[in-house]
Amino acid sequence: MKTLKIPEATIIRLSVYSRYLYMADKRGIVTISSGDIADGVGVSPAQVRKDLAYFGEFGTRGVGYNVKDLHRHILKILGLSNIWHVALVGLGNLGLALSSYKGFRERGFCICSIFDTDPEKVGTIVNDVVVEHIDRLEEVVDERGAQIGIIAVPAGFAQEVADRLIKAGVKAILNFAPVVLNVPPEIELRNVDLAVHLEVLTFNLALQK
Amino acid sequence: MKTLKIPEATIIRLSVYSRYLYMADKRGIVTISSGDIADGVGVSPAQVRKDLAYFGEFGTRGVGYNVKDLHRHILKILGLSNIWHVALVGLGNLGLALSSYKGFRERGFCICSIFDTDPEKVGTIVNDVVVEHIDRLEEVVDERGAQIGIIAVPAGFAQEVADRLIKAGVKAILNFAPVVLNVPPEIELRNVDLAVHLEVLTFNLALQK
DNA sequence: TATTCTTTGTGATATAATTAACTATGTAAT
DNA sequence: ATTACATAGTTAATTATATCACAAAGAATA
């Protein structure tokens, strides 16, 4: 796998392609062209081919791509050919929603540890997982070997949680708290700020007027 | 306000700056430089200045920016100087989390209509809003003048909900269903696919090995 | 007032990403 | 076999975005 600086946009599109291929496969489609995929997900055919070209040659000229094959390849590229263990910190409304989000399980993510501080929640079982107290975070994460952490705590606690997740051995963090986290460069970090998405919309709406 | 094709990345950063400025203001800081903002949010000072330059001149050379002023300006740019009415469709775990998400209210978004099909939920009050049946979507959205719709229904129903929201007069849609929606070009659409974010992380993790 | 210091705003440059055009390769029909 | 056709892979051109470097402008100091 050659890896000369892949644009993040490409990764995001691969993820979208894979979902489309999965559906196509379920509908019994065997072969698909870059144009078909492009139409299906709203990008240009050249874009589809370019994105795939970063990783190798998966199609046959004149024909197209084998749906199952390509799907498998993309999952492999995205690192989804094995199960990832995810630790979720914070079981507010958002944490609860994330813990039961089917999309994660379908794609091979297992939220196998959940942490909160609320004594009412600690010890209860949520989606087959026993909720632990945050005090035990390092211990539990280390013991279970969680590779990814999801932060769904209030902004004020996010940095502390991030520090502790990293100390416990987590290699990547998905942060839902609306705050800029400071992490070492080797830690993969992504921020999801739900309000930001709405603000991009309102910016565009405000322009139209 | 001159508006010659602003990069979306700029809008997202403006949103981040505004949150940082809000915090700086709360801490009593009166004046701030592009370097301070840059350090605080993890970008370069030149980037901060360039982003702002799309919209005008807000600082004084040799001094920096007035925190309150700049914050106000950015909110204005993002279209956040008035309240936006948002209709939420789908009250599963995710919908519930979104309906109670404080980040929305803080930024001037009011989720003033909620829809679901579940008879157990319809008629109940969630975060001060009466849950309506989806059958009444067009009627209620039109009557209350919601400008933005949030789709938090299963993938299979998302397109239908989108169509109905648009018919009811919604101008922008935030879609949480993992599916590519088809909407007319004048409708602003953003997709938030939570699994995609995790997949960008695992792609990078997979690379490291 | 002149001088130095700071920091913005911006034009020029470099980098990155997308789009378009073209070439190579396989399939199917004549 | 030959020809026409379809479509992947790839190179080149275009467009978009980010970085750099410096002139302009205000503030502080001598």
Side-chain angles (χ1 to χ4, degrees), chain A residues 15 19 78 107 193 199, chain B residues 15 19 78 107 193 199 202:
Chain A
S15 175
R19 206 159 285 123
L78 293 175
R107 307 288 283 178
D193 188 329
E199 290 170 18
Chain B
S15 174
R19 208 161 281 122
L78 293 174
R107 306 287 284 179
D193 187 329
E199 290 169 19
T202 56

Side-chain angles (χ1 to χ4, degrees), chain A residues 173-189:
Chain A
I173 291 177
L174 188 60
N175 172 41
F176 283 87
V179 66
V180 178
L181 294 182
N182 238 287
V183 303
E186 71 272 17
I187 301 294
E188 295 295 327
L189 170 66

Side-chain angles (χ1 to χ4, degrees), chain A residues 87 141 146-149 164-173 187:
Chain A
V141 167
Q147 301 120 320
I148 301 174
R164 294 179 62 183
L165 281 169
I166 293 166
K167 210 188 313 170
V170 153
K171 294 283 174 278
I173 291 177
I187 301 294

Side-chain angles (χ1 to χ4, degrees), chain A residues 1-21:
Chain A
M1 202 192 283
K2 58 176 169 180
T3 57
L4 286 136
K5 201 61 178 55
I6 317 290
E8 184 173 297
T10 290
I11 307 306
I12 293 171
R13 282 190 298 265
L14 284 179
S15 175
V16 175
Y17 301 161
S18 80
R19 206 159 285 123
Y20 187 74
L21 289 168

